[in-house]
Amino acid sequence: YIEIGGSTTLDVLPNPATNQLLLKFNENNSSTIKIKIYNNLGQLILKQEVANAGEYNLNITGISNGVLYVNLKQGSEEITKKIIKQAW
């Protein structure tokens, strides 16, 4: 888990991933979660906003294989985690 502001955590599973990412959040902060995914060139390829329900299944089927950066923003706190998307 990665600490955000000492009260929120983010975990991205699995890594490497194929078609789905499981994003886990700490429910102590009720702010909505803003999710952005960037490719290795820094281009924004996916943007979503979801309610904080503790976890969220993110479909990444249409995203090309390679290095991706998952950016999570909750309130004024923000963190980015590197993942690998690959085919079976």
Side-chain angles (χ1 to χ4, degrees), residues 21-34:
L21 287 176
L22 176 62
L23 305 179
K24 293 188 175 186
F25 317 110
N26 185 325
E27 296 181 60
N28 290 339
N29 185 337
S30 61
S31 298
T32 58
I33 311 295
K34 294 179 182 175

Side-chain angles (χ1 to χ4, degrees), residues 8 16 20-21 25 28 31 35-36 42-43 48-49 53 58 65 81 88:
T8 305
Q20 293 279 335
L21 287 176
F25 317 110
N28 290 339
S31 298
I35 302 163
K36 294 180 183 176
Q43 298 166 318
Q48 288 187 9
E49 188 168 329
L58 183 64
N65 294 338
K81 186 162 184 182
W88 278 106

Side-chain angles (χ1 to χ4, degrees), residues 2-79:
I2 298 173
E3 289 287 329
I4 301 177
S7 63
T8 305
T9 55
L10 164 67
D11 200 12
V12 180
L13 304 168
N15 191 10
T18 53
N19 296 322
Q20 293 279 335
L21 287 176
L22 176 62
L23 305 179
K24 293 188 175 186
F25 317 110
N26 185 325
E27 296 181 60
N28 290 339
N29 185 337
S30 61
S31 298
T32 58
I33 311 295
K34 294 179 182 175
I35 302 163
K36 294 180 183 176
I37 297 183
Y38 298 89
N39 64 16
N40 206 32
L41 301 175
Q43 298 166 318
L44 180 64
I45 54 176
L46 186 139
K47 181 179 178 181
Q48 288 187 9
E49 188 168 329
V50 298
N52 183 1
E55 62 183 40
Y56 181 73
N57 284 304
L58 183 64
N59 185 337
I60 58 170
T61 303
I63 296 175
S64 298
N65 294 338
V67 176
L68 301 174
Y69 296 89
V70 178
N71 175 271
L72 171 78
K73 185 171 183 181
Q74 185 173 30
S76 63
E77 305 298 330
E78 187 170 4
I79 192 136

